[in-house]
């Protein structure tokens, strides 16, 4: 069971709740109260600061999510290197000539590590 994704979501939610709560709190505190221009300006600065923090947090979360996605994908050349690293010793011990080839013109394509490795790994293990 992979708990990192739900935990990541809970942590993100908790990190974002502070600025959102601040904005809501400030908005509610002024609902039925008349404030002068200076107080209003101070409230707006506080709301702007919380909104800015919220945007920063959102950008950080998106960047982390993108990094996680990049880490979970291979290009064909990365996949080739990974397979060679995983199976070279086993192939050597069994005197098998392990060769991994791919169409280099299609090296820009990215494949899910989680989906591709088990499929290819089972096929290679069956041959070795």
């Amino acid at each position: 069971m992979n708990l990192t994704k739900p935990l990541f979501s809970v942590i993100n939610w908790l990190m974002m709740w502070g600025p959102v709560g601040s904005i809501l709190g400030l908005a509610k505190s002024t609902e039925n109260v008349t404030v002068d221009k200076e107080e209003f300006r101070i409230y707006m600065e506080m709301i702007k600061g919380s909104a800015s923090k919220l945007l920063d947090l959102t950008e950080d979360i998106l960047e982390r999510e993108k990094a996680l996605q990049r880490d979970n994908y291979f290009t064909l050349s990365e996949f080739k290197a990974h397979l060679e690293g995983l199976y070279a010793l086993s192939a050597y011990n069994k005197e098998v000539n392990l060769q991994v080839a791919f169409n280099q013109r299609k090296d820009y394509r990215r494949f899910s590590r989680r989906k591709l490795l088990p499929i290819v790994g089972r096929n290679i293990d069956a041959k070795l």
Side-chain angles (χ1 to χ4, degrees), residues 58-93:
T58 304
E59 286 177 19
D60 289 346
I61 291 166
L62 289 173
E63 285 301 314
R64 277 187 271 158
E65 195 66 32
K66 284 180 188 176
L68 285 173
Q69 286 179 355
R70 276 192 305 270
D71 291 345
N72 287 322
Y73 284 83
F74 283 125
T75 62
L76 290 173
S77 59
E78 292 167 338
F79 189 52
K80 176 186 186 291
H82 192 77
L83 289 175
E84 290 171 342
L86 281 174
Y87 295 105
L89 184 58
S90 181
Y92 177 79
N93 287 334

Side-chain angles (χ1 to χ4, degrees), residues 12-24:
N12 289 337
W13 181 81
L14 289 172
M15 287 172 53
M16 293 173 70
W17 183 246
V20 171
S22 297
I23 292 168
L24 287 173

Side-chain angles (χ1 to χ4, degrees), residues 2 7 11-12 28 51-52 70 77-78 81 87-88 92 95 97-98 101 116 120 124:
N2 184 4
L7 181 60
I11 291 170
N12 289 337
K28 284 182 179 181
S52 177
R70 276 192 305 270
S77 59
E78 292 167 338
Y87 295 105
Y92 177 79
E95 297 179 357
N97 182 14
L98 176 68
L116 201 54
V120 174
I124 291 175

Side-chain angles (χ1 to χ4, degrees), residues 15 18 27 35-37 53 59 62-63 69 73 83 93 96 100 109 112 114 119 121 124 127:
M15 287 172 53
V35 292
D36 62 26
K37 284 184 179 183
K53 272 192 172 191
E59 286 177 19
L62 289 173
E63 285 301 314
Q69 286 179 355
Y73 284 83
L83 289 175
N93 287 334
V96 172
V100 180
R109 291 191 176 171
S112 171
R114 290 188 183 124
I119 294 168
I124 291 175
K127 305 290 184 216

Side-chain angles (χ1 to χ4, degrees), residues 5 10 13 16-17 29 34 38-39 42 68 74 97 118 128:
K5 189 71 170 178
V10 169
W13 181 81
M16 293 173 70
W17 183 246
S29 71
T34 305
E38 182 58 25
E39 263 185 308
I42 291 170
L68 285 173
F74 283 125
N97 182 14
L128 293 178

